[in-house]
Amino acid sequence: MDDKEKFNCLFCYCPLYMMGEECGGNFKYTEHGIKDCSQCSLPHIKDVGYDHIRGKMKTVINMVKDKHLKNKK
């Protein structure tokens, strides 16, 4: 990011990566189907990224819980 005053490095690794297309960020998939978030600055925008991620964490928690319960059956 050009404006270092608006940069937040709290999320070095985006906790929304696992959401795929529902994360809300600027990403693309490589030719091998890997999610490439290198052009996404959403988690790093001060006062915006944290709120965005925090707002989606309940969905992430439910995704993990559902997968865990499914694997237990």
Side-chain angles (χ1 to χ4, degrees):
M1 293 183 69
D2 293 331
D3 188 349
K4 302 298 182 204
E5 293 296 317
K6 292 184 179 177
F7 185 78
N8 179 354
C9 62
L10 180 62
F11 298 111
C12 179
Y13 174 80
C14 183
L16 304 183
Y17 180 87
M18 66 171 293
M19 294 184 76
E21 296 179 6
E22 296 177 38
C23 70
N26 180 25
F27 68 91
K28 62 182 178 182
Y29 285 103
T30 68
E31 62 186 51
H32 301 290
I34 306 295
K35 189 175 174 184
D36 175 4
C37 305
S38 62
Q39 299 301 309
C40 181
S41 60
L42 181 60
H44 305 289
I45 301 171
K46 193 175 188 178
D47 301 327
V48 174
Y50 179 78
D51 289 339
H52 175 78
I53 289 174
R54 197 180 81 210
K56 295 222 175 218
M57 286 311 295
K58 187 168 179 91
T59 301
V60 170
I61 290 167
N62 286 333
M63 289 172 77
V64 172
K65 183 177 80 175
D66 292 346
K67 183 175 180 180
H68 176 73
L69 292 175
K70 186 172 142 185
N71 288 337
K72 282 189 125 182
K73 290 181 181 181

